[in-house]
Amino acid sequence: FPGMLSNPRLVSVQRTVNVVMKQNVSLSCHSESGSPPVRYTLFKRNQKVSTSNRPDLTPGLFNLTINSASDVGEYKCKAENNISSGGKYSNSLNFTLIEPVSKPVLSSPTAQAKKGQNMTLSCLSENGSLPITYIFFKGRRNISPPLKMRKREAAVIFLFINSSSDFGTYKCRAENNFRNNTKYSNSFNFTLAEERSRSQPLIISLVLILLLFVIALAIPFFIIPSYKASE
């Protein structure tokens, strides 16, 4: 029908759906064809948010502030004129609330290692929007590819302690879609575990045997005098 509105298109003026808390965002709702004037209505989960009346076919603009997690979710808009019965609805638009990563914690089940031993390192940021990408370093040299974690779980790498140079300082880095926010972990150092000498158990056994022998020799000197004293 002549003058009937086309389905409007709802877009973010910022050209991104990733938002942070307290951010101001603008939405544009636009029907490219149809007879003006046009009334645009913005909905969030089927609840009316705001209305914009346009005397021509220019877009209706809606300004929002992301104050809480409830402000993200599905948005739609409706375009109406004097001809379109019931109006025309747009596509859905969903904002994603992103949070900067917290300082990751680098850890291992044990800090003591021996040469020739396999070890593990774990890196985890407790807070931050997923996915989070981790990279491990030894000194300033990265020792792992970027590990993108889509769940709240630690990134883990396996190390082989082959020489004394493997006992250096390790760190990891965490980042997500939050711009200009990269966090480095604490430093972690492996220490060389002291290896017990093979003769050490034998020495301990000999000392215990000698101690028992001395005790056995000393018993008569304590028992016999006490026996005579009682007669």
Side-chain angles (χ1 to χ4, degrees):
F1 297 93
M4 183 174 291
L5 291 171
S6 60
N7 285 87
R9 184 167 177 255
L10 183 65
V11 297
S12 168
V13 175
Q14 289 77 18
R15 297 184 180 181
T16 178
V17 293
N18 294 326
V19 295
V20 298
M21 204 67 77
K22 304 300 181 182
Q23 181 178 341
N24 295 320
V25 296
S26 296
L27 296 180
S28 169
C29 185
H30 186 212
S31 287
E32 294 184 349
S33 62
S35 297
V38 183
R39 182 171 68 254
Y40 295 104
T41 304
L42 182 68
F43 294 88
K44 179 180 177 293
R45 297 192 183 98
N46 298 321
Q47 291 187 351
K48 181 180 175 180
V49 176
S50 183
T51 299
S52 175
N53 294 304
R54 305 303 303 164
D56 48 27
L57 288 179
T58 55
L61 295 177
F62 302 95
N63 298 314
L64 307 171
T65 301
I66 306 301
N67 288 315
S68 67
S70 63
D71 292 325
V72 298
E74 183 185 65
Y75 286 86
K76 281 188 177 184
C77 69
K78 182 174 72 170
E80 299 173 280
N81 64 2
N82 296 327
I83 298 175
S84 301
S85 175
K88 294 293 184 70
Y89 285 88
S90 72
N91 55 290
S92 298
L93 189 146
N94 287 272
F95 285 114
T96 301
L97 185 64
I98 59 174
E99 178 188 8
V101 293
S102 58
K103 180 179 179 178
V105 175
L106 183 64
S107 62
S108 178
T110 178
Q112 293 189 331
K114 301 176 183 178
K115 290 182 180 179
Q117 186 176 1
N118 291 310
M119 304 296 292
T120 61
L121 278 176
S122 301
C123 185
L124 175 65
S125 288
E126 291 287 350
N127 299 301
S129 305
L130 298 171
I132 297 176
T133 300
Y134 298 94
I135 298 179
F136 291 80
F137 295 86
K138 182 179 178 295
R140 295 184 178 181
R141 178 175 59 90
N142 62 305
I143 56 173
S144 76
L147 303 174
K148 181 175 286 189
M149 308 303 293
R150 301 186 181 278
K151 296 181 180 180
R152 188 72 61 188
E153 57 189 17
V156 179
I157 63 169
F158 299 91
L159 302 172
F160 180 68
I161 305 300
N162 190 40
S163 65
S164 57
S165 63
D166 296 322
F167 290 92
T169 300
Y170 292 86
K171 281 191 174 184
C172 67
R173 186 180 75 194
E175 58 187 7
N176 61 2
N177 291 329
F178 196 96
R179 291 183 178 180
N180 303 320
N181 182 73
T182 298
K183 296 291 180 65
Y184 285 86
S185 73
N186 54 293
S187 299
F188 188 91
N189 291 75
F190 288 110
T191 57
L192 181 63
E194 295 182 1
E195 298 186 12
R196 291 183 178 181
S197 172
R198 294 182 179 179
S199 61
Q200 192 174 14
L202 178 60
I203 294 174
I204 294 174
S205 299
L206 291 175
V207 170
L208 290 175
I209 292 173
L210 180 60
L211 183 60
L212 291 173
F213 181 72
V214 171
I215 292 173
L217 291 176
I219 287 175
F221 293 97
F222 289 99
I223 294 177
I224 294 175
S226 62
Y227 175 75
K228 290 181 176 181
S230 61
E231 287 181 347

